[in-house]
Each structure stands twice: as structure tokens, then as C-alpha cells.
Amino acid sequence: MPKFSTQNDFKKIISKTHTAKTVYTYKKDAQLTLECNKSTISVVFRKRVNNSYQKTTIGHANSRTFEEVIQMFYDHLQKPVKPTAQLSSISLKDYFS
């Protein structure tokens, strides 16, 4: 997987015409990737879950600068995680009475 780390690397990726899907990884944080297709360049957050990766698209990098993409990624990391299941407040005593 190709890597990018500087603003110059980012500019080369943005200006390049992609004919096939190419994924670039940010050297300083492997969870940030750029997925380049024919028409869009998506900013993707990759998280390892068990033996596979879970991907979340954060936004598009087509009209953004390197600093904006990095800031968008770190803002995404700062968001609080929503719990998937809510715990019940019913106790065993309430259930059996």
C-alpha cells in the first residue's frame, strides 16, 4: 500500500488521474487512508476489529488541502463514541415483583 506523509505527497495524489482504485496510507497514523477512485478521493478511517478492518468514510478530499484533511481526521477521532446497546435499568428484584 503506498504511503503519504507530506503536503507534496498529498498534492501529487490529488493531481494524479486514477484509473483504478488505489489506497494510500498516512505514515504517521495508519488509521487514516485515502481511497482514490476515478472521480473521487475519499478520506477513510480504518479501525482493526478482531481479524479484519472496519472502514468509515469521513469525507472527500477533492477540494481540500492537506491540513484540512488531517484536521478532519483528528476531529473524527475526538467525537464521542455512541453506545450501540442501551443497558436496562430494571433490576432482578423489579423483574420478579
Side-chain angles (χ1 to χ4, degrees):
M1 194 177 312
K3 298 184 183 294
F4 71 100
S5 64
T6 63
Q7 188 169 0
N8 290 336
D9 295 340
F10 181 77
K11 285 180 182 179
K12 289 177 186 176
I13 294 169
I14 295 292
S15 63
K16 184 178 179 182
T17 303
H18 300 280
T19 56
K21 181 179 176 180
T22 309
V23 178
Y24 295 90
T25 304
Y26 186 51
K27 281 185 180 179
K28 296 180 182 177
D29 193 341
Q31 292 179 324
L32 171 61
T33 59
L34 295 176
E35 288 189 1
C36 305
N37 294 318
K38 291 181 182 179
S39 60
T40 62
I41 299 174
S42 301
V43 180
V44 177
F45 171 68
R46 282 182 30 175
K47 181 178 179 182
R48 186 156 182 93
V49 178
N50 297 328
N51 292 332
S52 62
Y53 285 99
Q54 178 183 10
K55 298 188 311 183
T56 305
T57 302
I58 301 171
H60 297 288
N62 291 359
S63 60
R64 299 183 191 269
T65 63
F66 178 69
E67 291 82 15
E68 290 174 336
V69 168
I70 300 300
Q71 187 62 43
M72 182 174 33
F73 172 70
Y74 287 119
D75 288 345
H76 178 76
L77 290 179
Q78 297 299 324
K79 285 183 184 178
V81 177
K82 296 178 185 176
T84 55
Q86 296 203 1
L87 299 175
S88 175
S89 62
I90 298 173
S91 66
L92 288 174
K93 182 180 178 182
D94 293 335
Y95 179 75
F96 288 110
S97 63

